[in-house]
Amino acid sequence: MLYELYHLLDINLFSYITVRSALGFLIAFTMTMFLMPRYIAWAIAKKANQPISKYVPAHNSKKHTPTMGGAIYLFSIVTAILFSANLSNIYIWTGIVTIVGFGLIGFKDDLGKVIKADNLQGLSPRGKFFLQIIVALIVISMLFYAGFPTEFYVPFIKTPLFDMGYFAIPFWLMMFLATTNAVNLTDGLDGLATVPSIIALTTLGLIIYITGHAGLSNYLLMPNIKHVGEVSIITASFAGGLLGFLWYNCHPAEIFMGDTGSLAIGGTLAYLAILGKSEILMLLIGLIFVIETLSVILQVASFKLRGERIFLMAPIHHHFELKKWAENKIIVRFWMISLIANIFAMITLKFR
């Protein structure tokens, strides 16, 4: 809408991606701050609480916390994008499909858990996995339709290693599945997934802005992809929505995002990494998500192969809970690790 006003009323200010990104951030943040307390009050009245597994440490203290807060900030984010972005840009619509598609999968899962008051009664793992594949393939198809380049880049090298061609389909599909489920695993403590997601969105937003800017991409020896820079508005709007959510999600949480929020975050981060040609760099950008996922893989593999557990409990944040670390200490230290990892990720952009 703002971009259309630029053309209709000749308001040059709205031609700048940076300005519209800032406005998208503020709109998503303000809407989330306004809507979230009203949703929390409604959810408490309707007993739309998060079912907590009895095996999770301190589960009794959180069993009355309402869930599905992700639906509120996703609504705010999509509204902000529609208001701020150039809606003739295919990459904006592909991003919206990503947010809404993965969000709806999580919403269906959360709704089943809330209705049946059981953490195991949402979508089956197979059903959730299948729906994730469907949404991911739709997004990938839209990228191919848009003519998005399929070259494969790695950090520190200024030229692509090779062109993946149609092999990009399984590679990008793996990116979507790995990232969505990694964020979902991390979402286990108050604000634990929220801040690393904001940090990752900021890093990816900068990378995408540079990738879409001819001068900056040439200076930093990064790929230049036309029209991709507009997607910076999605990253800014998403960060704004999450920051508004954090106001109510920080310890002790008044609301949980649920799978509605975590799957949408994961899907969006994967989409942004693909657009920014940062699929490999995502291992550093999303380091906390990688660590959490690896802890589960190692735990399961160790138990099956040796009959012994490596951690007291997986994902690893529960291990530290059982080690009697205060919840705030775990959360803030994980935030610090995420911030440091993303600083290193940004440094790699200069070394090519």
Side-chain angles (χ1 to χ4, degrees):
M1 186 181 294
L2 291 176
Y3 189 78
E4 282 67 33
L5 284 175
Y6 154 59
H7 286 288
L8 289 173
L9 304 178
D10 196 27
I11 303 176
N12 193 51
L13 184 68
F14 295 151
S15 68
Y16 296 103
I17 292 174
T18 49
V19 171
R20 288 182 286 117
S21 294
L23 290 172
F25 176 94
L26 291 173
I27 292 167
F29 174 78
T30 304
M31 284 187 64
T32 302
M33 289 289 290
F34 176 78
L35 295 173
M36 196 63 72
R38 289 155 179 80
Y39 171 75
I40 291 172
W42 177 86
I44 291 173
K46 297 296 182 180
K47 297 183 178 179
N49 301 330
Q50 173 70 53
I52 307 292
S53 170
K54 64 181 180 180
Y55 301 107
V56 172
H59 71 280
N60 283 324
S61 64
K62 300 188 177 186
K63 65 181 181 180
H64 297 301
T65 306
T67 189
M68 292 164 56
I72 302 302
Y73 69 68
L74 292 183
F75 173 75
S76 302
I77 289 164
V78 172
T79 302
I81 294 168
L82 292 174
F83 191 79
S84 306
N86 174 7
L87 299 183
S88 65
N89 188 307
I90 183 64
Y91 298 121
I92 291 295
W93 285 109
T94 309
I96 291 173
V97 169
T98 302
I99 295 168
V100 174
F102 283 102
L104 286 175
I105 297 171
F107 184 82
K108 182 173 177 58
D109 189 36
D110 286 334
L111 194 61
K113 294 174 183 177
V114 169
I115 291 173
K116 298 177 182 178
D118 188 336
N119 195 51
L120 301 175
Q121 293 301 313
L123 284 170
S124 67
R126 183 176 296 179
K128 186 190 294 187
F129 196 70
F130 174 75
L131 290 174
Q132 289 174 4
I133 291 174
I134 295 300
V135 173
L137 287 176
I138 291 171
V139 173
I140 292 168
S141 298
M142 292 179 74
L143 287 175
F144 268 86
Y145 174 78
F148 185 75
T150 55
E151 287 87 359
F152 180 73
Y153 284 83
V154 295
F156 306 112
I157 299 178
K158 64 183 179 181
T159 56
L161 294 187
F162 51 85
D163 189 339
M164 294 184 288
Y166 286 105
F167 286 104
I169 296 173
F171 178 61
W172 290 344
L173 178 60
M174 180 186 69
M175 275 290 301
F176 277 108
L177 296 176
T179 312
T180 51
N181 289 290
V183 176
N184 190 229
L185 285 171
T186 306
D187 182 33
L189 297 179
D190 301 345
L192 181 60
T194 307
V195 171
S197 297
I198 293 172
I199 295 170
L201 284 163
T202 303
T203 300
L204 288 167
L206 288 170
I207 291 172
I208 284 172
Y209 181 76
I210 293 168
T211 302
H213 192 288
L216 289 174
S217 60
N218 180 63
Y219 172 72
L220 292 170
L221 304 177
M222 292 174 62
N224 176 232
I225 305 171
K226 290 183 178 180
H227 310 304
V228 161
E230 188 76 15
V231 179
S232 301
I233 294 168
I234 292 181
T235 67
S237 300
F238 216 121
L242 281 178
L243 191 64
F245 173 70
L246 182 64
W247 185 273
Y248 303 97
N249 181 239
C250 59
H251 184 72
E254 300 173 58
I255 183 77
F256 294 141
M257 67 172 69
D259 284 10
T260 307
S262 63
L263 293 183
I265 291 172
T268 303
L269 290 178
Y271 174 65
L272 296 173
I274 291 167
L275 286 193
K277 293 298 178 184
S278 301
E279 297 97 335
I280 302 301
L281 193 59
M282 189 62 195
L283 294 171
L284 196 55
I285 294 170
L287 182 61
I288 285 298
F289 308 129
V290 173
I291 291 171
E292 293 273 21
T293 305
L294 282 177
S295 71
V296 174
I297 294 171
L298 290 172
Q299 184 86 322
V300 172
S302 178
F303 188 75
K304 287 187 174 181
L305 296 174
R306 305 187 304 147
E308 297 179 6
R309 292 179 173 85
I310 299 174
F311 308 104
L312 296 176
M313 189 174 184
I316 198 169
H317 58 261
H318 290 316
H319 169 81
F320 292 115
E321 278 191 288
L322 291 173
K323 295 279 284 185
K324 304 302 180 183
W325 283 26
E327 183 168 346
N328 259 352
K329 180 176 286 189
I330 300 169
I331 295 165
V332 173
R333 285 180 175 176
F334 276 42
W335 291 354
M336 292 167 66
I337 293 169
S338 179
L339 177 60
I340 292 167
N342 276 263
I343 290 172
F344 276 112
M346 292 303 297
I347 290 172
T348 66
L349 302 182
K350 186 60 179 172
F351 292 94
R352 287 174 179 264

